[in-house]
């Protein structure tokens, strides 16, 4: 259709509407700003549904909301988490800015929105191998050779073994499992924590009723 006729039709239908691209009015896509106004019929009707669904969503690209691709700038509650495009099925309560970073094999510890229970600890990227209950701000520091007091807990394997000055003669290779709640008893010396040098696995292998009883498999008693 001739652009002149289109302009004429638009001004007849929306006499107070002045926009840069009249062809955008009523083209099936919701355009923002001067197009999505009452005088322009809310972009010729294209923005009516959008306005009803997301009345507080302020974006320059409303036609991208719910288009199947997550736009981080629209990943906010006002825009319905980009019309649902940014919702992670496995973690529906995870609202990290860029969901593609969740479970990408890299721990995004610098942004606190990723390393959370709601986001599955960054989709598992921030879980410490062998220490599933160790959730700290920067898990990459666990077992890095430096003892950090805030990570010196049994659930974090005493900073992945970095803080194990309590057992200086414990020579097992898996010292990060000391005191993790499970008795790590093994016939392989390098994997056996159930000995006096390792504090009977920091107490995990001690039988409450028989504290002086030290056997290879205390769970079978």
């Amino acid at each position: 259709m001739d652009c002149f006729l289109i302009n004429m039709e638009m001004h007849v239908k929306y006499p107070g509407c002045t926009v840069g691209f009249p062809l955008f009015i009523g083209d099936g896509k919701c355009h923002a700003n001067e197009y999505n106004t009452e005088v322009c019929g809310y972009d010729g009707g294209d923005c009516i549904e959008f306005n009803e669904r997301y009345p507080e969503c302020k974006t320059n690209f409303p036609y991208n909301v719910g288009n199947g691709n997550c736009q981080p700038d629209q990943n906010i509650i006002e825009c319905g988490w980009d019309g649902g495009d940014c919702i992670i099925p496995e973690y529906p309560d995870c609202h990290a800015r860029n969901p593609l970073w969740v479970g990408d094999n890299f721990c995004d510890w610098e942004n606190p929105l990723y390393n959370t229970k709601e986001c599955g600890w960054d989709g598992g990227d921030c879980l410490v191998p062998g220490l599933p209950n160790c959730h700290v701000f920067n898990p990459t520091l666990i077992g890095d050779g430096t003892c950090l007091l805030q990570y010196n807990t049994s659930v974090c394997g005493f900073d992945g073994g970095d803080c194990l000055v309590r057992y200086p003669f414990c020579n097992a290779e898996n010292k990060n499992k000391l005191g993790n709640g499970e008795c790590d008893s093994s016939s392989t010396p390098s994997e056996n924590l159930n000995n006096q040098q390792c504090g009977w696995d920091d107490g995990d292998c001690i039988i409450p009723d028989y504290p002086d009883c030290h056997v290879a498999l205390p769970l079978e008693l």
Side-chain angles (χ1 to χ4, degrees), residues 26-220:
D27 68 346
K29 296 171 61 177
C30 175
H31 299 275
N33 304 317
E34 69 270 21
Y35 297 88
N36 188 14
T37 59
E38 185 177 0
V39 294
C40 290
Y42 302 105
D43 197 14
D46 293 338
C47 294
I48 291 177
E49 182 179 355
F50 174 85
N51 293 338
E52 291 176 349
R53 284 191 175 188
Y54 314 110
E56 301 300 323
C57 179
K58 308 300 181 185
T59 173
N60 291 324
F61 309 99
Y63 51 82
N64 282 336
V65 175
N67 70 346
N69 296 312
C70 175
Q71 314 291 328
D73 291 339
Q74 296 167 174
N75 187 17
I76 55 177
I77 190 172
E78 291 81 2
C79 295
W81 314 113
D82 195 19
D85 292 339
C86 295
I87 292 178
I88 306 171
E90 297 88 348
Y91 311 108
D93 295 322
C94 173
H95 301 301
R97 177 177 170 80
N98 191 342
L100 293 178
W101 291 4
V102 176
D104 65 348
N105 296 317
F106 180 82
C107 176
D108 299 285
W109 61 269
E110 294 179 329
N111 191 319
L113 291 178
Y114 294 86
N115 188 18
T116 63
K117 181 179 180 181
E118 291 77 13
C119 292
W121 315 110
D122 197 12
D125 294 338
C126 292
L127 290 176
V128 183
L131 301 168
N133 296 318
C134 177
H135 305 300
V136 295
F137 178 68
N138 186 353
T140 64
L141 297 179
I142 299 291
D144 67 342
T146 301
C147 174
L148 300 174
L149 294 180
Q150 64 269 37
Y151 297 163
N152 186 21
T153 61
S154 59
V155 294
C156 289
F158 304 104
D159 194 10
D162 294 337
C163 299
L164 289 175
V165 294
R166 296 174 59 189
Y167 307 109
F169 301 107
C170 180
N171 297 319
E173 295 178 356
N174 56 337
K175 287 189 289 186
N176 64 325
K177 293 184 178 181
L178 279 168
N180 68 351
E182 298 181 1
C183 176
D184 297 284
S185 184
S186 173
S187 59
T188 304
S190 62
E191 298 177 359
N192 183 37
L193 301 176
N194 186 20
N195 52 53
Q196 185 175 5
Q197 291 82 0
C198 296
W200 312 110
D201 195 5
D202 194 40
D204 288 343
C205 296
I206 292 178
I207 307 169
D209 295 333
Y210 309 104
D212 295 322
C213 175
H214 303 298
V215 293
L217 299 173
L219 295 178
E220 294 186 358

